[in-house]
Amino acid sequence: MIGRPEDGRDDYGRDDNRRGDPATVRAAGVVLWRRSPYDGGVEIALIHRPKYDDWSLPKGKLKRDEETAAAALRETREETGMECVLGAPLPTTRYLVEGRPKEVRYWAAEARSGVFSVNREVDRIVWLPPVAARHRLSNDRDRPLIDALLRTFTV
């Protein structure tokens, strides 16, 4: 078997959004990074969502029949204005939202171009070194994703 049903892919490694519990909200996101224009170190983008007054990573729900990776790219573009290249897959997070299970698949993503503009979901973006980004994140479940991103640079 090439893919494993529990990873959201079919036997050929393609996304299969029909697997699993249909009540689960499926989403995709990224840990968006770039090289600092000042010192060449890694900077991570965090977004501020005024609806929740939180600092988060770019992510969002899949549209009907949308591939997970395509959703991650689309959501990143919509929320940050950035075009990026997906890199290594990062851990999937699972949690409840209003009693309903939510599953978010993440990737490392290098920002290549773009300009942030305030939009209906995001009013601010900051680029921070990893340690500062970990501290600024509002949800504890997002912090291990930064650690996972950093491990991709040492592999």
Side-chain angles (χ1 to χ4, degrees):
M1 181 187 295
I2 296 170
R4 297 181 324 268
E6 64 272 15
D7 75 1
R9 295 186 170 275
D10 67 11
D11 290 343
Y12 299 97
R14 298 175 301 213
D15 281 340
D16 185 355
N17 298 326
R18 297 167 303 206
R19 291 185 187 251
D21 180 2
T24 299
V25 175
R26 306 243 182 256
V30 302
V31 179
L32 186 63
W33 68 275
R34 70 178 184 187
R35 291 288 174 184
S36 168
Y38 306 106
D39 64 9
V42 171
E43 293 181 329
I44 296 171
L46 300 184
I47 58 171
H48 182 262
R49 303 181 303 170
K51 179 178 179 180
Y52 304 106
D53 190 24
D54 72 351
W55 289 96
S56 183
L57 299 166
K59 66 180 172 297
K61 296 177 202 162
L62 273 64
K63 293 183 177 182
R64 184 176 179 83
D65 297 325
E66 185 176 33
E67 295 279 333
T68 311
L73 292 169
R74 176 183 53 77
E75 285 290 340
T76 302
R77 190 171 39 258
E78 288 175 3
E79 293 183 346
T80 69
M82 296 291 139
E83 296 294 331
C84 63
V85 175
L86 294 183
L90 300 176
T92 297
T93 61
R94 293 172 179 86
Y95 52 97
L96 293 177
V97 176
E98 298 176 2
R100 189 169 176 201
K102 184 171 186 175
E103 178 179 282
V104 186
R105 294 189 55 202
Y106 282 96
W107 282 265
E110 183 179 5
R112 293 289 173 92
S113 64
V115 177
F116 172 72
S117 295
V118 172
N119 55 71
R120 66 179 194 65
E121 292 184 52
V122 179
D123 64 349
R124 287 181 278 168
I125 184 173
V126 293
W127 291 93
L128 299 170
V131 171
R134 280 184 105 264
H135 290 300
R136 176 85 57 102
L137 283 166
S138 298
N139 291 304
D140 290 338
R141 69 177 162 263
D142 292 338
R143 290 184 179 94
L145 293 163
I146 291 178
D147 301 333
L149 169 75
L150 295 176
R151 284 193 299 274
T152 70
F153 293 120
T154 61
V155 175

